[in-house]
Amino acid sequence: MSYAGRRVLVAGARMAGTASARALLSAGAEVTVVDEKAVPALDELAAAGARTAVGVGLDQLKEQQDLVVSPGFAPHHPLVVAALAQGLDVYCEPELAWRLRGPGAPPWLAVTGTNGKTTTVTMLAAMLAAGGLRTAALGNVGVPLVDAQSADRYDVLAVELSSFQLYWSSRMAPPAGAFLNLAADHLEWHGTFDHYSDAKTNVWRAARSGAGAAIGNLDDPLVAGLLAAVPGAVGFTVAGWEHGRFGLVDGMLVDADGVEIIEAAAIRPPGTHNVANALAAAALARWFGVPVDAVRRGLAGYRPEPHRNAHVATVDGVAYVDDSKATNPHAAVGSLTAYPRVVWVAGGQLKGVDPDDLVATVAGRLAGAVLLGVDRDLIRAALARHAPRVPVVDVSTTDDGAMDEVVRAAAGLATTGDTVLLAPAAASKDMYTSFEARGHAFAAAVRRLGSQERS
């Protein structure tokens, strides 16, 4: 697609917006950038040739042809509503990257799902690299895709795509896409579960047209049902193996032909859900032609991303584990079921999702719960319904000392052999700048507890 002379409004001047604006300027577009705050990037983009403004952007819509939004712009955002009413094409940075691809641009192997996306794309990147391919995990993780289109730098890209990014796409069609799982999340953004689900299935846009591969989780009834309607689909399962599927045989991951890849016990981070993630990554890698030996070496050498079932320390016989990335109930159930007896640290922003089913599922594993954050009352109510005998400590503190109070309370509920697990089932920005900051705070509090125990 040619952008020479095309009038494009870019909404948001953070990482994705700034990268989009620079790519559009390089492509010859007439670019206007707006942000609700006077961030330094606006001055930098103005110096590069863009028009800039501080505000919502409604005043800048006139005579624009396209609106490129950052992923946080929901369909009901006033700027988006006005742009669509005006007939503008609205899309986001990955879609722009797809439209800007030139001859020889590296192909994309895409991953989406409610949970496990980053783990899967980084596993995939490890497999591709072990196969001698120049690659990177990008998209919803890492650097923006508009900065990674050169065939001189990459042979293939492992691309993480969120529901937001997939919603704001219309042409983007990676030749192979994996759908990991599906559960309620981001309902405040999408409005309904069906809208959320429909956005996720756009990862199979190429396969639906008969021009690509659809890979999906057969153990997830919702994903399996959607996968059944796509031609040429490839499934993966942790419940066994059949020819043409990726699965498990006698504790070994095997490919679609039954060739052994690696022991399930060797997968890191631990947990059945991460074995499923490894199978999804292996399916994408094998589809691209990566040899089984390289897939094996990639998984054997894989180092998990931080804050994903990461062991922090063992203090007085109790293990402390940071799974701060469990930002919704579906993610939390995967980590909670990886341990036999847990003191659960939970709470934050539930994003319109009911924690009831999660609590009912894991109630028998809970030795105690410590709750924090804005929506902790909803989790406490679910615990009262499904685990009334589990002791619960409520931490209302929101200042810098909150996590120390949380960890001390958890230590008081735990006994030797237990796991204190930070798996909040909720987002973090009610108290922290990110899930990473929340995980760092937990780990620091655990280390301080360990120092006190030793002194």
Side-chain angles (χ1 to χ4, degrees):
M1 177 174 175
S2 173
Y3 278 90
R6 194 168 182 85
R7 300 182 301 278
V8 184
L9 177 62
V10 176
R14 301 329 197 255
M15 180 182 289
T18 298
S20 296
R22 291 190 180 279
L24 286 162
L25 288 168
S26 296
E30 297 178 13
V31 180
T32 302
V33 184
V34 297
D35 196 287
E36 293 186 0
K37 296 182 180 179
V39 294
L42 289 176
D43 293 335
E44 297 167 8
L45 291 170
R51 299 183 183 90
T52 61
V54 176
V56 175
L58 292 170
D59 293 338
Q60 287 71 39
L61 270 181
K62 187 179 179 180
E63 298 183 356
Q64 300 291 339
Q65 293 173 279
D66 294 13
L67 172 63
V68 175
V69 293
S70 297
F73 280 72
H76 53 266
H77 189 281
L79 179 62
V80 171
V81 172
L84 292 172
Q86 191 174 306
L88 270 65
D89 196 1
V90 181
Y91 49 96
C92 67
E93 180 267 329
E95 172 77 9
L96 173 63
W98 186 264
R99 297 183 184 199
L100 287 172
R101 290 175 313 132
W108 298 10
L109 305 179
V111 175
T112 197
T114 301
N115 296 299
K117 297 182 292 296
T118 300
T119 295
T120 303
V121 293
T122 49
M123 283 178 170
L124 174 59
M127 296 172 189
L128 296 169
L133 297 165
R134 298 170 303 163
T135 191
L138 303 171
N140 198 44
V141 60
V143 303
L145 283 157
V146 289
D147 293 335
Q149 297 301 307
S150 172
D152 295 334
R153 294 177 60 193
Y154 298 111
D155 299 309
V156 58
L157 300 177
V159 178
E160 176 182 332
L161 294 172
S162 71
S163 63
F164 305 158
Q165 293 167 324
L166 288 162
Y167 181 91
W168 291 127
S169 72
S170 58
R171 305 183 190 182
M172 182 173 64
F179 197 156
L180 303 177
N181 43 62
L182 181 60
D185 198 14
H186 301 301
L187 299 189
E188 84 292 356
W189 195 99
H190 289 279
T192 70
F193 180 76
D194 285 345
H195 289 161
Y196 173 64
S197 173
D198 289 346
K200 288 289 192 185
T201 62
N202 286 333
V203 77
W204 292 333
R205 188 175 278 125
R208 287 198 303 248
S209 68
I215 294 164
N217 187 353
L218 299 175
D219 300 325
D220 186 308
L222 295 174
V223 174
L226 295 167
L227 188 69
V230 184
V234 176
F236 62 89
T237 174
V238 299
W241 178 80
E242 292 180 15
H243 189 269
R245 299 177 174 182
F246 285 69
L248 293 181
V249 175
D250 296 330
M252 295 286 297
L253 279 72
V254 297
D255 73 2
D257 295 319
V259 178
E260 293 185 346
I261 300 173
I262 196 171
E263 299 88 350
I267 299 299
R268 295 291 179 271
T272 303
H273 58 304
N274 285 313
V275 174
N277 293 337
L279 287 168
L284 285 166
R286 292 290 289 135
W287 179 86
F288 196 68
V290 176
V292 169
D293 181 62
V295 173
R296 181 183 303 114
R297 286 186 282 111
L299 284 172
Y302 176 71
R303 296 294 175 265
E305 295 292 296
H307 313 296
R308 292 162 173 84
N309 254 12
H311 180 265
V312 176
T314 298
V315 180
D316 265 358
V318 175
Y320 290 78
V321 175
D322 168 16
D323 196 27
S324 185
K325 184 59 176 72
T327 56
N328 55 58
H330 185 270
V333 74
S335 54
L336 282 161
T337 54
Y339 305 97
R341 187 176 145 93
V342 174
V343 175
W344 183 26
V345 177
Q349 299 161 300
L350 284 168
K351 300 173 288 183
V353 179
D354 189 343
D356 207 68
D357 288 347
L358 163 64
V359 175
T361 299
V362 303
R365 297 174 181 267
L366 299 180
V370 182
L371 307 181
L372 75 166
V374 66
D375 287 334
R376 64 187 184 278
D377 289 350
L378 298 175
I379 301 176
R380 187 194 308 112
L383 285 164
R385 284 190 293 273
H386 300 291
R389 297 182 181 179
V390 170
V392 178
V393 176
D394 189 290
V395 175
S396 59
T397 307
T398 59
D399 61 19
D400 290 343
M403 198 58 83
D404 285 289
E405 186 177 345
V406 166
V407 168
R408 287 195 298 269
L413 296 175
T415 59
T416 299
D418 287 352
T419 298
V420 171
L421 175 65
L422 173 66
S428 59
K429 292 188 177 180
D430 57 328
M431 291 178 62
Y432 299 95
T433 57
S434 64
F435 75 82
E436 292 96 339
R438 178 172 61 189
H440 287 312
F442 175 77
V446 170
R447 287 191 288 270
R448 285 190 287 271
L449 176 72
S451 298
Q452 294 164 7
E453 293 296 327
R454 289 190 296 271
S455 62

